[in-house]
Amino acid sequence: MKLIAAMSGGVDSAVAAARAVEAGHEVIGVHLALASNPQKYRSGARGCCTIEDSHDARRAADVIGIPFYIWDMAEEFHDGVVEDFLAEYAAGRTPNPCLRCNEKIKFAAVLDRARAMGFDGVVTGHYARTQISETGKTLHRAVDHSKDQSYVLSVLTIEQIAGAIFPLGDTTKVDIRKEAEARGLAVAQKPDSHDICFVPSGDNAGWLRDRLGSEVGPIVDQEGVKIGEHKGAYTYTIGQRKGLGLTVPTVDGSPRFVLKIEPVTNTVVVGAREDLAVSTMKGERPVWCGPGVTDQVLRGFVQVRAHGAALPCSYFFDGTLLVAQLDEPLLGLATGQAMVIYDGDRVVGSATICETA
Amino acid sequence: MSSIYVDHAATTPMLDSARTAMTLQLAQLGNPSSLHTHGRATRKTIEDARESIAKQVGCLASEVIFTASGTEANNIALKGLYWQGRDKGKQVVVISAIEHHAILDPAQWLADHEGAEVLLVPVSNSGVIDLDFLKDVVSKRGQEIAVISIMHSNNETGVLQPISEVVAIAGEIPVHCDAVQSFKKVPLSFSELGLYALTLSAHKIGGPLGIGALILRRTVEIPALLHGGGQEREIRSGTLNAPSIVGFATAAESEHFNAKNVQNLRDAFIEGLNKIIPDATINGSKANRLPGIINVTFPGTQSDTLLLLMDSQGVSCSTGSACSAGVHEASHVLLAMGHSVESAQSSLRFSFGASSTQADVDYILSVVPDVITRGRAANLS
Ligand SMILES: Cc1ncc(COP(=O)(O)O)c(C=O)c1O
């Protein structure tokens, strides 16, 4: 096949590209320039898309022996990922930008452009697997569960999965680093990138405050009684206990947790630990990564964080919302996160959590 | 797969004769500054080369200052002439809007750090500088101008600039000219043009990479950028790179670039393009141009996509400039010629050289339709 390898400048995408070449594909390396004002250097594990990263990607492509180009996707990234991230926070939800990037950039803008140019698909260094089953190509967890990235890929439609190649899904990260070393790729020991790539300082709260302002508002208990003040509601997360700065103690001295963030009234609601418990979640705008879910109740697992646990549940689709009922309640769940349904290792689909109970 | 090189304006193959001369010189021992036999031998070789280049560009041998690149020569000239002028209270730098980054960026640097005021001479839609603008600036602010720098021909469009007229308008004001693209492609004489300074680069004429020359009028003394052994008139220090200088001179002496032939190829290419992509436009087509460069706008495409597709068909051409992150940017040259960002970003440069053939032209024309079709589809995706 003729493939575009998305090369970030990190070790994973470099080995993925090399493996695709070895598998006999005709591969072209592409680095996506996502920041309109890239920083020169990356600092430790923070950030990506620096000029240094693009040089690392180019060097890896040269060592592998494939053509290499840089595609400017800064505008698409800003509009589709950064703006969305801000809007979600402003609405009191907790978004996952990596997921949005896969949905709108890597497997949309890039894949569409690649297909129009005559390529068959896009290779990335994500830790996930695909399989050909009788229903078509399906998405599965990586063998290395600790590195599994199927969660952030769960927004891909069947069409997008058809054009996605994940050569690393069958290998552990440790072995990928060894392989990079053996292939003479200088990025072999480059640290993994964590955090949000467009917040290079790693200070998400500060970054949000700079952009959304820091309007002081009330912290209230569940009865609506004001017991404190906050400096910008969106810098709190559901389930947060520390840093609330509350001086009024509870009757029994038990700690308080953030239960809810209400952007319209700029209010943070706190309460007891047991009030965080969620046993039903509903998600909007579902995407099916294989055969669609119906109103028939099925057994499976739901995952609500990128590296969270797979929680046993029953799930169904009510025609508008994807509903999951947990066997055991979960403490602290923010709307805006993705709920991803698994059937064993297979990704069934995902939706954006809009209601919890 | 085919491998067609149409990026001769970026760099062109080194001539066999230059390679041979250079290789022989690599085996010669001696620092040209040394006073002994070995040093003298290398010095003689370098001075032969200097005389030979001087002859080719119509200047005195003593006016040739070897540098490590055309970029360096431009920097020495622009900064040096500016500083010299500033000492006399002249702080204005006049350049054209379409200069190479090796002039634009030093000018910007002078503005940011050295108190210069930079004036950009605009160009017409066909890419020729506006002489009336220049006249106006010189008549109003002539006393304040430290240096005027206008390129001999533009590296993206090939459009030739009226340098004699510039020098006439400038009068006493020092004029520098970046002639990197013109040397050995069109007639060029430093003394006839009456310039103060002129820039050459070896790798655009069949010489090696990393060697250039600043031609600087004999009596002009300007501050140095590199200080050290004082080798080149105290204006440029550093042990002279004898092998590269020999390669440079050998290429300069060669008459392998046949302007007529190259122009015929270019014209055949344009004719073919007009037939298969009727809405493609040639930038600067109304102006006098270098024989080898053509810059084409393909509406509804993106240059970087086209370059990738051309490259995968084995055709090496160019999109113009990229920023430090490697992201393709709209060409400042095309923007200055009145293009929108969108149309500037849908343009490609093809540049033919002495080694180009009709078969190259035929092959490129054979892949163009598919490349443009795909490029247009990708642009809509
Ligand atoms: C017009 C012009 N000026 C200057 C240069 C820079 O020359 P060099 O590559 O020797 O630094 C180039 C070549 O890219 C050029 O085209």
Side-chain angles (χ1 to χ4, degrees), chain B residues 9-10 68-72 74 100 102 151 153-155 178 180-181 199-204 211:
Chain B
S69 62
T71 300
E72 189 194 340
N74 277 348
H100 188 272
M151 65 201 326
S153 57
N154 183 266
N155 49 295
D178 176 348
V180 165
Q181 291 293 342
T199 294
L200 303 177
S201 177
H203 73 97
K204 311 283 185 183
I211 186 81

Side-chain angles (χ1 to χ4, degrees), chain B residues 71 74-75 78-79 95 99-113 118 120 322 324 332:
Chain B
T71 300
N74 277 348
N75 271 267
L78 198 75
K79 292 174 184 170
I95 64 174
E99 294 300 310
H100 188 272
H101 275 284
I103 285 291
L104 282 181
D105 293 14
Q108 185 61 46
W109 183 84
L110 288 173
D112 293 344
H113 300 279
V118 177
L120 293 183
S324 52
H332 66 279

Side-chain angles (χ1 to χ4, degrees), chain A residues 4 28 30 33 38 51 54-55 67 69-72 109 112-113 116-119, chain B residues 302 304-309 311-312 324-328 374-375 377-379 381:
Chain A
I4 293 284
I28 282 179
V30 164
I51 292 176
S54 86
H55 286 188
Y69 308 93
I70 291 173
W71 283 3
D72 181 8
D112 290 348
R113 188 163 168 190
M117 289 169 80
F119 291 87
Chain B
Q302 275 184 353
D304 51 354
T305 305
L306 296 185
L307 183 130
L308 187 160
L309 292 166
D311 196 8
S312 60
S324 52
V327 171
H328 173 66
R374 284 176 196 269
N379 200 31
S381 71

